[in-house]
Amino acid sequence: MNLSGSTRRNPFARPWMNEQGAAAAAGGGQGLKGIIAGGITGGIEICITFPTEYVKTQLQLDEKSGKGGAKQYDGIMDCVKKTVKQRGFFGLYRGLSVLLYGSIPKSAVRFGAFEEFKKRSVDSKGNLSPGSRLLCGLGAGVCEAIFAVTPMETVKVKFINDQRSANPRFRGFFHGVSTIVKEQGIKGVYQGVTATIIKQGSNQAIRFYVMETCKDWYRKGDPNAPVPKLVVGAFGAVAGAASVFGNTPIDVVKTRMQGLEAHKYKNTADCALQIWKHEGPKAFYKGTVPRLSRVCLDVAITFMIYDSFMELFNKFWI
């Protein structure tokens, strides 16, 4: 009997471990690396960019209501000045604890899911096709929307909305969450889930598509070629800007559906219809400028930090 290597079959063989390049590396725990690196990245990033998120949310919640239909803020700088004057500089960090608690799992789920989807979608050379880039990003966004973003964003918006009242009720993160759950049940922290899935799905589909396309262009098709961190940051800013212009209307609807006045709307579609009817189409782009500055900085920083940790993990991961 011929038992040569050409005919003998190793029952313990794992053929995927023989793949070359990035495809092989992706099999070496990339999903877990993405979760850990993404979690660390999320915590660092939110501490840097939160004030712009606060201002964006305040402007989106600033409906034409009250005496004479007057709005509370005239713009970005007016919002910043009034907040600092009334509550001090750290008033711009109101609700940070909510996002900090949520950003770590959100970023972990996002990047972990993307790495897992990417591992299953790359070709033999380790490259993603344009369609796969879009689908992997979409899958990552849907996962983070369901498992992390919806409850986190709902609580964050309610916290910021609560501060707008004459007598704020929430004394802190845990008190606020317990109050919301006690009065509204679990659904109280899961409002706007449909809008959030649409927002996060489109967000990450656009961002990862642009980022992976830019990296592929820079690497000239070689998935193992390094990309300088400043270049990664520039690509991240472009990806962030693309996602802002692509889905700010969805973000506005999501924010309204998660605010304390969400009971005014029957559902996501009704919310969008009422905004269009009572405030006009421009209302769908409220907060675009502060969101643009925040998201460009956010995505640039996020990808730079994430890539740094992934390089470190790939170098020393056992």
Side-chain angles (χ1 to χ4, degrees):
M1 179 183 295
N2 185 359
L3 295 177
S4 64
S6 60
T7 58
R8 180 190 298 176
R9 183 174 183 178
N10 181 356
F12 301 105
R14 292 177 292 175
W16 61 85
M17 295 299 288
N18 295 324
E19 295 177 1
Q20 301 298 317
Q30 289 298 94
L32 181 57
K33 293 176 188 177
I35 290 174
I36 297 174
I40 297 172
T41 298
I44 296 173
E45 175 272 324
I46 197 59
C47 290
I48 298 173
T49 63
F50 184 80
T52 55
E53 172 68 15
Y54 175 90
V55 172
K56 180 215 72 169
T57 304
Q58 287 282 26
L59 292 178
Q60 289 182 346
L61 291 171
D62 198 22
E63 302 181 55
K64 294 181 179 179
S65 59
K67 292 183 178 181
K71 296 192 296 183
Q72 188 173 346
Y73 304 113
D74 293 329
I76 300 171
M77 293 309 300
D78 184 55
C79 179
V80 172
K81 289 178 181 179
K82 287 182 177 178
T83 300
V84 173
K85 182 178 180 180
Q86 295 171 6
R87 300 181 175 88
F89 174 77
F90 288 103
L92 294 171
Y93 279 87
R94 173 77 175 184
L96 172 63
S97 60
V98 180
L99 273 194
L100 191 59
Y101 294 142
S103 288
I104 294 175
K106 177 184 75 171
S107 191
V109 170
R110 175 197 307 165
F111 285 104
F114 180 78
E115 293 293 347
E116 189 63 28
F117 291 137
K118 181 179 179 179
K119 178 180 72 175
R120 300 173 185 276
S121 304
V122 292
D123 60 22
S124 59
K125 295 181 180 179
N127 293 314
L128 279 173
S129 67
S132 294
R133 295 169 199 160
L134 201 64
L135 289 176
C136 288
L138 177 63
V142 171
C143 285
E144 72 170 345
I146 294 173
F147 296 111
V149 177
T150 299
M152 178 197 73
E153 286 284 305
T154 302
V155 173
K156 179 210 72 176
V157 173
K158 288 182 185 296
F159 264 69
I160 294 177
N161 214 167
D162 177 65
Q163 182 178 319
R164 294 163 61 86
S165 63
N167 299 301
R169 302 172 58 209
F170 304 148
R171 297 192 296 269
F173 175 75
F174 294 106
H175 175 261
V177 172
S178 62
T179 300
I180 293 170
V181 173
K182 182 179 179 180
E183 295 178 353
Q184 303 174 32
I186 295 298
K187 68 177 183 180
V189 294
Y190 242 88
Q191 292 176 323
V193 63
T194 301
T196 303
I197 288 176
I198 296 172
K199 177 207 168 186
Q200 295 305 123
S202 59
N203 243 349
Q204 302 314 325
I206 295 170
R207 290 178 188 176
F208 279 110
Y209 176 83
V210 173
M211 175 58 71
E212 291 295 315
T213 299
C214 288
K215 282 184 175 180
D216 185 63
W217 168 79
Y218 186 88
R219 291 167 171 162
K220 294 179 171 56
D222 179 5
N224 295 315
V227 182
K229 294 298 171 288
L230 288 179
V231 175
V232 171
F235 290 161
V238 173
S243 69
V244 168
F245 289 115
N247 76 352
T248 288
I250 298 172
D251 189 47
V252 171
V253 173
K254 175 198 70 67
T255 298
R256 293 287 181 86
M257 286 296 294
Q258 292 173 330
L260 296 178
E261 301 297 317
H263 62 274
K264 297 191 305 184
Y265 311 116
K266 297 177 182 178
N267 49 45
T268 301
D270 180 61
C271 178
L273 183 62
Q274 289 199 41
I275 293 173
W276 180 281
K277 181 179 180 180
H278 299 295
E279 301 174 61
K282 289 184 178 180
F284 287 105
Y285 277 90
K286 280 187 174 183
T288 297
V289 175
R291 188 184 179 216
L292 185 64
S293 61
R294 182 193 69 82
V295 170
C296 288
L297 178 63
D298 176 346
V299 179
I301 291 173
T302 295
F303 276 106
M304 289 174 70
I305 296 174
Y306 178 75
D307 273 22
S308 297
F309 278 109
M310 285 299 286
E311 284 185 4
L312 186 65
F313 289 167
N314 286 331
K315 185 176 182 180
F316 296 105
W317 192 276
I318 299 177

